[in-house]
Structures are given as structure tokens and as C-alpha cells.
Amino acid sequence: MESQLGESAGFLWHLVWIIPLVALALAYKLVLRVFGVVIIAEDSVGVVTKKFVVFGSNKRLPSGSIVALNGEAGTQADTLAPGLHFGYWPWQYEIESEKVVTIAEGKIGIVEARDGKPLTDGHVLARKVECGSFQDARAFLIGGGERGPQIAIIPPGTYRVHTGLFTVVQEDVLEIPDGQVGIVTTKEGKTLAKGDIAGCEINGHNAFQDGQTFVDNGGYRGLQEQVMLAGRYYINPRFATVQTVPMTEVPIAHAGVVIAY
């Protein structure tokens, strides 16, 4: 009897030590967080929010801005890559670990920015800015990125996007079947001259897949003379709409009469 009691007491004594160790192992991230250490997983990106600034001239964000470029209080432009990061004390920083953005095959990413310069007059889409497919928020803002829907898209793949600045939704790629053509209407570009009903052909935009080049090269807003042949295209639906119609067949021993409008 005494032996059994001794064994039970020994077992309970071990539990007294084991349970705290197990709890500590399970809560190691929280323990590290207290000491300013942040762990970002391989499939995530860390979005940093600074709660307050005590010293320095850059304490508050400029009027109209929501992302901080100079260490002001608020959402920071620079995100945290996977790995260990030190010095992010919990009383001053809040860290949100967000999953990377994955654009599936057969889809494209349509992007909208919450911060940046206002859109220029007459434009409905923000111009393209080199920012690593929207993975570099600082480059986007410093480079003159504009607030609102973007003319550039994200092709299939995995991207570490700053979710505090950008929202991304997925849309299907455009498929034009064999035996059909695509009639294109763009929503960006110069205004057509009075009396014209379609914009002339523009070079260099890769079948309307590069909206910024189309605009930069003098493309016109509205119906386009250029049609699209059968194939798969990465076209921003906010930049251009495409109506697919059957190709015109001229039977043998007949002639096709063309009327130009």
C-alpha cells in the first residue's frame, strides 16, 4: 500500500513539473512576444502597426494618409518577411500575420489601393507603378502610386502583398474559343474625336494585356478597331471589356462586302 502511495506521489510530482513545461512549449510564441520577438511563418507576411511615437518630428501621419513611410504612428509601409524579428515590443507594436496572396492558375488578381495620390482628372484607373507586383508598398507610395483600382494586374503565382494597403480579388482569365473573335471596349485612354466610333490600332500593349502601355501610347477610350483572336488573355476587366462573337464566314463562290463606319 505504501509502495503504491509512493508511486502515485512520484507521478503527481512529475506532473507538477511537466504540465508547466508543456504549457510553456505550447505558448512559446506568446512568451517570445513579451520580449519583443516576432515569428513570421513561411507562408505569411507580417503587417506592422505602430501604436504611438514618443520622440521625433514624424509622430502623426500626413493628412489623408493611412500608411506610414517615416515611422509615424499607424500601419507601417514595410512588412515583415518570414523568420525571426526583434525589437517589436507589444506595448508599442501590433503585428498581424497575414497569409500570402495566391492567384490560382486560370485567374488574375485585380488590385485596389487604399492609400496613395488621388487619381488624376479623367482617369478611372490608377497608373502602373513598379513595385514588385504590389509586394513593395514603400516603392508603390514613393513612386507616386495612386489610390483606387489599379490598371496593373497580378498574374498567377504567390505574392507577399501588404494587405493593409492593397486588396486583391481574383477574376477569371479571358478565353476566346476557336472560330470566334473578341470585340474590345476600353475604359481608359484619350477621348475619341467627334464623329469617330472606334479607336485606331495601337502598338505595344500585347493584345490589351498591358493597359498602361495602351494609355501611354495614345490609346482611345471606347470601342476599338483592333479585335482579338482565339486564345487566353490576362486582361483587367476594369480596363477593358471583351465581347466574343463568331467569325464571319464567306462561302465559296460568294464575295464579302465590307461597310466601314
Side-chain angles (χ1 to χ4, degrees):
M1 185 69 176
E2 290 181 0
S3 175
Q4 290 179 346
L5 289 174
E7 290 178 359
S8 298
F11 177 73
L12 291 173
W13 178 252
H14 280 89
L15 283 180
V16 169
W17 286 98
I18 291 173
I19 290 175
L21 290 174
V22 171
L24 183 62
L26 294 174
Y28 75 98
K29 284 188 177 182
L30 293 176
V31 174
L32 291 173
R33 186 74 188 92
V34 171
F35 292 95
V37 180
V38 175
I39 301 176
I40 304 298
E42 187 62 32
D43 63 347
S44 300
V45 59
V47 177
V48 182
T49 299
K50 185 182 284 189
K51 299 177 182 178
F52 60 87
V53 176
V54 177
F55 304 106
S57 57
N58 299 314
K59 294 182 179 180
R60 297 191 178 187
L61 287 168
S63 179
S65 297
I66 64 169
V67 176
L69 284 169
N70 301 301
E72 304 94 338
T75 302
Q76 303 299 295
D78 300 317
T79 56
L80 302 182
L84 281 171
H85 303 270
F86 301 91
Y88 290 93
W89 308 106
W91 54 84
Q92 188 175 16
Y93 294 97
E94 180 179 341
I95 312 296
E96 292 289 338
S97 184
E98 302 284 354
K99 293 295 184 183
V100 295
V101 173
T102 299
I103 308 299
E105 190 63 35
K107 301 280 188 178
I108 57 174
I110 308 301
V111 184
E112 187 161 347
R114 298 190 181 100
D115 200 354
K117 295 182 177 180
L119 286 172
T120 53
D121 291 342
H123 290 279
V124 296
L125 296 175
R127 68 183 185 86
K128 182 179 179 180
V129 173
E130 294 300 328
C131 56
S133 294
F134 301 100
Q135 297 180 100
D136 189 338
R138 179 173 292 276
F140 175 84
L141 294 172
I142 292 178
E146 297 169 332
R147 184 185 300 113
Q150 305 294 303
I151 198 168
I153 62 163
I154 302 178
T158 300
Y159 303 88
R160 302 189 186 280
V161 175
H162 191 319
T163 55
L165 174 58
F166 303 111
T167 58
V168 182
V169 297
Q170 298 194 44
E171 297 279 356
D172 293 333
V173 299
L174 172 66
E175 298 272 3
I176 300 179
D178 290 337
Q180 297 196 342
V181 294
I183 307 300
V184 183
T185 301
T186 61
K187 303 173 185 178
E188 273 285 359
K190 299 188 297 184
T191 302
L192 286 169
K194 188 176 180 179
D196 289 345
I197 66 168
C200 60
E201 186 169 342
I202 302 297
N203 295 321
H205 53 77
N206 191 20
F208 301 97
Q209 296 178 102
D210 186 345
Q212 190 62 58
T213 298
F214 174 85
V215 173
D216 291 344
N217 288 353
Y220 289 90
R221 182 189 301 116
L223 184 66
Q224 303 297 307
E225 291 181 1
Q226 181 180 352
V227 298
M228 300 174 62
L229 302 179
R232 169 180 280 197
Y233 301 93
Y234 294 152
I235 293 183
N236 187 343
R238 295 183 178 180
F239 163 66
T241 58
V242 182
Q243 178 188 7
T244 57
V245 297
M247 296 179 69
T248 300
E249 294 186 9
V250 180
I252 296 175
H254 288 71
V257 178
V258 180
I259 299 174
Y261 294 99

